[in-house]
Amino acid sequence: MRILLTGSSGWLGRYLAPMLREAGHQVVGLDVAPGPDTRIVGSVANRALIDRVMFSHGIEGVIHAAALHKPDIVRYPRQAFVDVNVTGTLNLLEAAVAAGADRFVFTSTTSLMITQAIRDETADEAVWLDEASGPLKPRNIYGVTKRSAEELCRLVHGETGLPVIVLRTSRFFPEDDDTHRDLSGENMKANEFLNRRLTVEDCARAHIVALDRAPAIRFRTYVVSAPTPFARSDVAQLKQDAPAVIARLFPDAAELYASRNWHLPRHIGRVYDAGAIERDLRFRCATDFAAILAALREGAPLPFEHDATYVSPKE
């Protein structure tokens, strides 16, 4: 199948393109920055370019991973987010319909589910987040535009029947968090596998499964994150004493962390539940918190990417 992959030079794109080829697809990569898997350098906001690419390459399916992201807020005006994340998505959806493509996968974000109150952790217990969570009140232009793009996906599917799967991915960026400095980058990433992170490899695999199943599913939104070890009944204790919950589930976690001078989270304010994609698509991330501890136990390399110096190719 001939697949248009937007964001092909980005962090996710560099993993997705080879996996798509391994699955037997022909990949046409499009990105604003050059890259080894980018055939067309240009913006999704350029409708004439999108139409030309879609028809000249006989595109049969689209994975739309290109976007301006949360760290870009300090570099770009709000209008740029609207142009790329909203108009660009509409361009691709309409061009896909016109070209007769039969599947569309949209890379969204769990960030749009996080209100300011959730981010500030004002609740007395951890907030359990899945596809039914709401009302959605994104707290910045990134979340607002990704939410708007999701609604365009819903609208175009409803009007045309184009099969669309929206993947709300949790964190998989390799660089350090730009707002938290209390822990080392690796320590923080390891902690997040408890409740809000996945590997970039698992993220890419989820997209390929979604691409394959989209015609059968027709339209669905899925949270994509490493499977949490917690249950909904843990939410009160997670907020008050997360190490106690972790110790119950992973008795040697504190000792393994101490061997690297790492720290477990004292409180956990949110948990992403990726159960729906596992039930519907039979997709489960391969790397979870247990895999992190296994690597520490065996003295093996950590099973996730960390690069404090990573900079997006577009910059």
Side-chain angles (χ1 to χ4, degrees):
M1 182 179 299
R2 291 180 295 277
I3 304 301
L4 174 60
L5 171 63
T6 71
S8 52
S9 297
W11 181 243
L12 176 59
R14 71 175 65 176
Y15 288 85
L16 250 175
M19 288 187 187
L20 284 166
R21 286 194 294 270
E22 289 172 10
H25 300 296
Q26 300 174 40
V27 181
V28 178
L30 182 147
D31 201 296
V32 293
D37 293 300
T38 295
R39 190 181 305 184
I40 298 105
V41 176
S43 172
V44 293
N46 183 338
R47 179 57 185 266
L49 172 65
I50 296 304
D51 286 342
R52 186 163 61 250
V53 169
M54 199 74 69
F55 283 95
S56 65
H57 292 277
I59 297 301
E60 299 168 282
V62 177
I63 296 181
H64 178 27
L68 288 183
H69 297 280
K70 188 257 184 181
D72 293 315
I73 291 174
V74 299
R75 295 189 284 260
Y76 294 91
R78 288 177 175 176
Q79 186 61 53
F81 279 81
V82 174
D83 294 342
V84 174
N85 294 356
V86 182
T87 302
T89 302
L90 180 60
N91 288 343
L92 287 158
L93 286 164
E94 291 185 340
V97 171
D102 69 351
R103 62 199 71 196
F104 193 105
V105 178
F106 175 58
T107 311
S108 190
T109 173
T110 52
S111 179
L112 63 80
M113 303 166 69
I114 307 305
T115 64
Q116 193 61 48
I118 292 175
R119 186 179 187 278
D120 293 341
E121 299 189 2
T122 59
D124 294 331
E125 58 187 30
V127 179
W128 194 271
L129 293 161
D130 61 17
E131 296 79 5
S133 297
L136 299 178
K137 298 179 180 178
R139 68 187 188 280
N140 55 39
I141 190 63
Y142 171 53
V144 167
T145 54
K146 295 298 272 189
R147 176 63 177 150
S148 298
E150 284 192 1
E151 288 304 314
L152 287 173
C153 289
R154 185 185 306 277
L155 178 67
V156 171
H157 165 73
E159 291 181 346
T160 70
L162 174 68
V164 182
I165 291 184
V166 174
L167 298 181
R168 289 183 185 166
T169 65
S170 64
R171 293 176 159 206
F172 60 89
F173 55 79
E175 66 267 37
D176 287 331
D177 188 292
D178 62 349
T179 57
H180 299 281
R181 304 295 184 189
D182 295 339
L183 303 175
S184 71
E186 288 184 333
N187 186 170
M188 186 165 184
K189 285 182 173 63
N191 288 355
E192 289 174 343
F193 276 90
L194 286 162
N195 64 317
R196 59 168 181 165
R197 180 168 280 274
L198 75 165
T199 66
V200 66
E201 294 92 344
D202 278 334
C203 191
R205 283 190 283 268
H207 281 72
I208 292 172
V209 171
L211 183 75
D212 180 59
R213 295 296 307 282
I217 297 295
R218 306 304 296 169
F219 184 90
R220 276 298 302 270
T221 298
Y222 293 108
V223 170
V224 188
S225 194
T228 181
F230 306 131
R232 285 181 183 262
S233 57
D234 293 325
V235 292
Q237 192 176 12
L238 284 171
K239 187 63 182 294
Q240 303 303 320
D241 187 5
V245 183
I246 297 167
R248 170 167 52 83
L249 298 169
F250 306 100
D252 63 344
E255 180 181 355
L256 291 168
Y257 263 50
S259 70
R260 291 189 72 127
N261 198 29
W262 282 5
H263 301 278
L264 290 165
R266 296 186 296 274
H267 314 284
I268 290 177
R270 73 187 82 157
V271 177
Y272 294 136
D273 180 357
I277 194 170
E278 184 171 354
R279 291 189 297 271
D280 290 1
L281 304 189
R282 300 293 186 265
F283 174 80
R284 181 182 176 92
C285 290
T287 301
D288 56 11
F289 187 69
I292 309 300
L293 295 184
L296 296 179
R297 200 176 292 119
E298 298 162 9
L302 292 170
F304 60 84
E305 297 283 349
H306 173 70
D307 181 0
T309 65
Y310 176 80
V311 178
S312 170
K314 69 181 172 51
E315 303 305 327

